Amino acid sequence: MIDDLIQDAVRRMDKSVETTQHEFNSIRTGRASAALLDHVTVDYYGTATPLNQLSTINVPEPRMLTVQPFDPSSLKAIEKAIMESDLGLTPSNDGKIIRLPIPQLTEERRKDLVKVVRQRAEDGRVAVPTVRRDLMRHLAELVRKGDVGDDEARRAEERAQKLTDEHVHKIDELLKRKEAEILEV
């Protein structure tokens, strides 16, 4: 029973780390990445549709993204959605493909991005102890019902704390790498 609770907690903590990693990938650095466009949604025939479902996104060069729509009539809507996003990218199209040059980041923009990354990391760090708190609540419930002994519960709490520390450390490592990537000139 305790092992099931701990396995569930590990799965949820891993999901928090994975979500933080995904959030970091969608933050623009000096290099082009298809993940930059993950949060862009296009008004496609009245429906908000993710850009990656309407087109192929490629990285032909380190500082260039290309977006090739499956439906050429959606080109203008895609271009509009990219312009309205907070990415700061200026699309140019040749009638078939949209090219997105990735401009060099200014020092001020780098500092802003570091603040955003730190906030996303903090959100991930908060999610991990929340999972631990849920686990502790379930353990206390089992002890109260008499299904689990105090010693077993205490060992499980220690394992939960160790797991929490490991996952928070993973998020800190991701943050350190992402900050270095952003500040790299």
Side-chain angles (χ1 to χ4, degrees), residues 59-75:
V59 185
E61 329 172 356
R63 303 186 66 66
M64 174 77 69
L65 286 173
T66 59
V67 179
Q68 184 166 16
F70 301 132
D71 176 8
S73 68
S74 65
L75 199 69

Side-chain angles (χ1 to χ4, degrees), residues 9-73:
V10 167
R11 186 182 49 73
R12 290 172 55 202
M13 287 180 186
D14 285 345
K15 184 69 176 160
S16 295
V17 172
E18 191 179 304
T19 300
T20 303
Q21 173 73 51
H22 183 73
E23 289 290 323
F24 284 177
N25 287 342
S26 68
I27 295 175
R28 182 165 84 87
T29 59
R31 287 187 220 105
S33 165
L36 291 176
L37 301 175
D38 280 356
H39 296 294
V40 176
T41 55
V42 180
D43 181 20
Y44 187 64
Y45 294 109
T47 306
T49 309
L51 177 60
N52 56 11
Q53 291 181 11
L54 294 175
S55 61
T56 303
I57 302 169
N58 291 312
V59 185
E61 329 172 356
R63 303 186 66 66
M64 174 77 69
L65 286 173
T66 59
V67 179
Q68 184 166 16
F70 301 132
D71 176 8
S73 68

Side-chain angles (χ1 to χ4, degrees), residues 3 10 35 48 50 69-70 76 80 91 115 133 140 151 160 164 166 182:
D3 286 341
V10 167
F70 301 132
K76 288 288 182 210
K80 181 180 178 202
K115 288 178 190 170
R133 189 179 63 230
D151 290 344
T164 302
E166 287 172 11
I182 290 171

Side-chain angles (χ1 to χ4, degrees), residues 160-174:
Q161 185 59 51
K162 191 184 296 184
L163 286 170
T164 302
D165 294 343
E166 287 172 11
H167 284 81
V168 167
H169 181 71
K170 285 179 187 176
I171 290 174
D172 289 341
E173 288 299 311
L174 292 172

Side-chain angles (χ1 to χ4, degrees), residues 71-133:
D71 176 8
S73 68
S74 65
L75 199 69
K76 288 288 182 210
I78 291 173
E79 202 171 17
K80 181 180 178 202
I82 292 170
M83 290 288 282
E84 290 173 352
S85 72
D86 63 348
L87 295 172
L89 300 176
T90 308
S92 64
N93 80 63
D94 63 5
K96 293 180 183 168
I97 294 179
I98 297 174
R99 286 184 176 72
L100 296 166
I102 309 294
Q104 190 73 14
L105 293 173
T106 63
E107 189 63 32
E108 184 179 325
R109 182 69 177 137
R110 287 176 198 278
K111 288 177 182 172
D112 290 345
L113 287 174
V114 166
K115 288 178 190 170
V116 170
V117 167
R118 286 182 181 158
Q119 181 57 49
R120 303 260 169 94
E122 186 57 31
D123 293 346
R125 281 193 216 106
V126 167
V128 172
T130 301
V131 173
R132 179 182 166 277
R133 189 179 63 230

